[in-house]
Structure formats: C-alpha cells, structure tokens
Amino acid sequence: MDTSLTAEQISHFNENGYLIIPDFLSPAQCDVLKSKIRDVIDTYLDMSTHPRTVFTTYNANKAEPDKHMMTDYFLSSGDCIKFFFEEGAFCEESGELAVPKHRAINKIGHAL
C-alpha cells in the first residue's frame, strides 16, 4: 500500500496547516485513543493547581504574538505533557470550568 502524500495533499497542508486523511485510523483505534486520553486527563490534570492556559490559533492582531505563546507554561511544554484549554472553557464570574474538563481541553502538548 502506498502511504505517501499526493502533491495536492502537500499543497493543502502547506496552505492550510492541516490535512484530513480519511480512514487513517479505524473507528476502533479512535475509541482506544479517546479512552487513553481520557485516562491521561483524569490522571494528570489537577484542576486545583493547573494554570488556566487557553490555547487559540486565532489572533486578530497579527503584529503581536498569541499571548499563550509567550508564557513559560507554553514555552516549556516540549518535553512533558501539558494541557491547554478552549476559549470559553472557564466561567468569567467564578473562574471555574464551564464544561466538564474532558470537553474543555483544546490541546495536549507536546510529549505524548
């Protein structure tokens, strides 16, 4: 089986920063991965001590870097597992999660 990317796929990735590869994983493999990541979240994400770091790829002011990219938490995430939250994951009034933590995560980086 040829597993190389087509020129069109490479072009799409270079232009958009992502690539969808249909059937790359089976539904059963996806279920295993979702279960394992739930275990990682349950084991390592202690909301009582974890920073409320929101990850976003959107920055209306392109002259300035995204705020999360300037934090030590983000910059030191290359060799360990760190959790980043969705925008809107926290209630503005209380600072507590507005949704269950498994649904509040945007990104887990980087050393999985």
Side-chain angles (χ1 to χ4, degrees):
M1 168 166 56
D2 182 15
T3 59
S4 59
L5 298 177
T6 66
E8 182 179 329
Q9 288 173 312
I10 293 168
S11 176
H12 182 277
F13 179 80
N14 288 335
E15 290 175 22
N16 300 291
Y18 72 92
L19 183 60
I20 296 172
I21 304 174
D23 302 319
F24 180 75
L25 297 173
S26 71
Q29 289 171 309
C30 289
D31 289 343
V32 169
L33 289 172
K34 287 190 278 187
S35 175
K36 293 292 184 186
I37 209 62
R38 182 175 278 276
D39 291 344
V40 167
I41 291 169
D42 287 339
T43 302
Y44 296 104
L45 180 54
D46 179 357
M47 290 305 300
S48 68
T49 59
H50 195 278
R52 305 313 203 232
T53 305
V54 173
F55 182 89
T56 180
T57 57
Y58 174 76
N59 182 354
N61 183 359
K62 295 296 181 189
E64 297 176 15
D66 292 331
K67 290 177 186 173
H68 73 273
M69 293 173 59
M70 301 306 292
T71 66
D72 183 58
Y73 186 78
F74 179 81
L75 294 172
S76 65
S77 65
D79 63 347
C80 56
I81 298 173
K82 293 196 176 181
F83 301 91
F84 301 87
F85 295 93
E86 288 281 358
E87 287 185 286
F90 298 97
C91 179
E92 289 186 29
E93 294 81 32
S94 68
E96 298 299 315
L97 281 174
V99 297
K101 67 181 179 179
H102 298 96
R103 295 192 54 212
I105 300 297
N106 173 303
K107 175 185 175 87
I108 302 175
H110 286 92
L112 285 179

